[in-house]
Amino acid sequence: MSRFWSKVVHGLTPYTPGEQVRMPGLIKLNTNENPYGPSPKAVAAMQAAVDDDLRRYPDPANLAVKDAVARRLGVRREQVFVGNSSDEVLAHTFHALLKHELPLLCPDISYSFYATYCSLYGITAVQVPLNDRFEIDVEHYNAPCGAIIIANPNAPTGIALSLAQIEALLLAHADQVVVVDEAYVDFGGESASALVDRYDNLLVIQTLSKSHSLAGLRVGFAVGHPDLIAGLERVKNSFNCYPLGQMAQAGAVASLDDVDYAQQTARAVIATRAWLTAEMQALGFDVLPSRANFIFVRHPQHDAVSIAAGLREWAILVRHFKQARIDQFLRISIGTDAECAALVDALKTLLA
Ligand SMILES: *Cc1c(COP(=O)(O)O)cnc(C)c1O
């Protein structure tokens, strides 16, 4: 605390990210990073972008990245917004599109950064409880509201809504912006980006951090109606005109264009997820049906915090959230087959 802090700073509750421990031999299953490296083409493109041109500012409009997103998702450049991580895209979205007279609706259990942005931008939110199967029930979103944000697949549950359910939400709220955070969609979800031509109230946000294995690069984007994108551009250009450097732009384009590589690594993660789910069930865990690169599990006889502490002794990190309804769950990122096998071995010993 300092007497120089503004009133806003005193009132903030910052987001707490999962621990970023660097330790040899550590099995890090706590922040949903991709266990496979980024596309070799993306790495080569970034290396090639390190040159004398760095003395210049990068393209402030991120046109090459917008065009790569447009190619990948079958939309137009005017329907794409690019930012330095999807967290930044989300921040601009809260600022530009989600602050209204009526409250923002969001799930009670979801990405906790949403509440952080509400506190930063002075947005009132109403949390809509997940149903008792931990699903988002779109029929519970009929209260009067200024806007809606959901994650699909949701985090930390991993459970996905169908496109038909997203469409029902869009139709029921034609006069409100509906934001769908698709950080995990490439691991088996259905993207609502296919609907942006038909719904002017839809904004879909994605990231290269998970399925493209580029969490360290910080690139995210949104697709939606050109008027929504123009609102985001106004906030971005009042904040930082150059959010993506030359290397990030080059790496993002190459990664987005290497469709085969991203699909191949996503398939590997999905296969490991199926294996790990079966193993965890065999150990007595309840496993929510995941369409993401993590599973959300609880054991009816063993306390979640004790399991996490036990795993830590084995140098295995998983994520626990101290939150009502989910404090007996652990979120476990899908690692390589070897990492997941080591997790299962450790659990066999711990639970015995
Ligand atoms: C990881 C994650 C993000 C943030 O992704 P970045 O692009 O790395 O900032 C956004 N939303 C959800 C639901 C996530 O899990």
Side-chain angles (χ1 to χ4, degrees):
M1 231 221 269
S2 154
R3 65 195 162 93
F4 301 114
W5 283 9
S6 70
K7 215 171 143 188
V8 176
V9 173
H10 282 282
L12 294 178
T13 317
Y15 177 77
T16 317
E19 282 177 285
Q20 291 300 349
V21 186
R22 304 217 178 222
M23 197 171 99
L26 181 72
I27 298 184
K28 200 172 164 301
L29 306 177
N30 66 330
T31 55
N32 299 343
E33 288 146 332
N34 197 313
Y36 306 106
S39 153
K41 289 180 186 164
V43 174
M46 289 186 273
Q47 282 164 342
V50 180
D51 61 21
D52 182 60
D53 245 17
L54 280 168
R55 70 195 174 84
R56 300 201 184 275
Y57 283 102
D59 171 19
N62 295 299
L63 290 183
V65 183
K66 286 187 177 184
D67 287 346
V69 171
R71 281 194 291 280
R72 168 108 179 180
L73 296 181
V75 297
R76 287 173 291 119
R77 176 195 277 181
E78 306 72 52
Q79 295 170 301
V80 183
F81 177 78
V82 175
N84 185 328
S85 78
S86 69
D87 284 341
E88 185 182 271
V89 175
L90 282 164
H92 291 335
T93 300
F94 275 74
H95 209 172
L97 304 172
L98 302 185
K99 185 170 179 164
H100 299 283
E101 291 291 307
L102 288 168
L104 171 70
L105 299 185
C106 61
D108 63 337
I109 294 163
S110 193
Y111 189 37
S112 55
F113 231 129
Y114 303 156
T116 304
Y117 291 133
C118 286
S119 97
L120 178 60
Y121 295 119
I123 298 167
T124 311
V126 171
Q127 298 192 332
V128 182
L130 300 184
N131 69 20
D132 47 18
R133 289 191 302 272
F134 295 95
E135 299 158 342
I136 292 172
D137 187 333
V138 293
E139 291 184 5
H140 296 167
Y141 285 72
N142 42 24
C145 63
I148 293 176
I149 184 164
I150 58 170
N152 190 43
N154 196 16
T157 63
I159 297 175
L161 292 176
S162 68
L163 265 194
Q165 289 167 307
I166 300 283
E167 210 163 351
L169 200 59
L170 291 165
L171 285 167
H173 296 277
D175 294 320
Q176 284 86 34
V177 177
V178 176
V179 177
V180 184
D181 178 352
E182 295 187 345
Y184 300 104
V185 75
D186 294 333
F187 300 104
E190 288 179 278
S191 178
S193 58
L195 302 176
V196 293
D197 278 331
R198 282 193 282 137
Y199 296 93
D200 65 357
N201 58 332
L202 169 64
L203 189 78
V204 175
I205 299 179
Q206 293 189 9
T207 175
L208 299 194
S209 295
K210 277 73 182 232
S211 59
H212 286 261
S213 201
L214 286 170
L217 194 64
R218 314 307 297 134
V219 180
F221 57 88
V223 298
H225 190 279
D227 292 348
L228 297 181
I229 302 305
L232 292 172
E233 295 287 351
R234 286 172 76 105
V235 170
K236 172 229 162 204
N237 291 321
S238 306
F239 178 81
N240 178 1
C241 288
Y242 304 101
L244 259 62
Q246 175 175 316
M247 279 112 72
Q249 295 192 20
V253 169
S255 191
L256 284 160
D257 282 341
D258 198 353
V259 180
D260 288 347
Y261 183 85
Q263 285 179 347
Q264 190 188 312
T265 51
R267 271 199 296 271
V269 167
I270 290 167
T272 307
R273 180 179 74 201
W275 179 84
L276 183 60
T277 299
E279 292 288 319
M280 297 296 283
Q281 285 167 335
L283 287 169
F285 283 91
D286 299 327
V287 185
L288 299 189
S290 172
R291 297 283 192 92
N293 69 337
F294 56 83
I295 53 174
F296 204 46
V297 306
R298 73 178 155 194
H299 199 289
Q301 282 99 39
H302 294 270
D303 175 61
V305 175
S306 320
I307 297 174
L311 288 172
R312 195 171 240 287
E313 309 264 297
W314 290 72
I316 299 174
L317 294 188
V318 299
R319 187 95 193 255
H320 174 260
F321 298 90
K322 232 194 237 161
Q323 187 185 345
R325 291 185 80 191
I326 57 166
D327 64 351
Q328 280 309 314
F329 278 88
L330 294 172
R331 191 193 69 188
I332 304 175
S333 310
I334 305 300
T336 59
D337 288 341
E339 288 172 328
C340 291
L343 167 75
V344 169
D345 285 345
L347 285 169
K348 281 180 183 158
T349 309
L350 280 175
L351 303 185

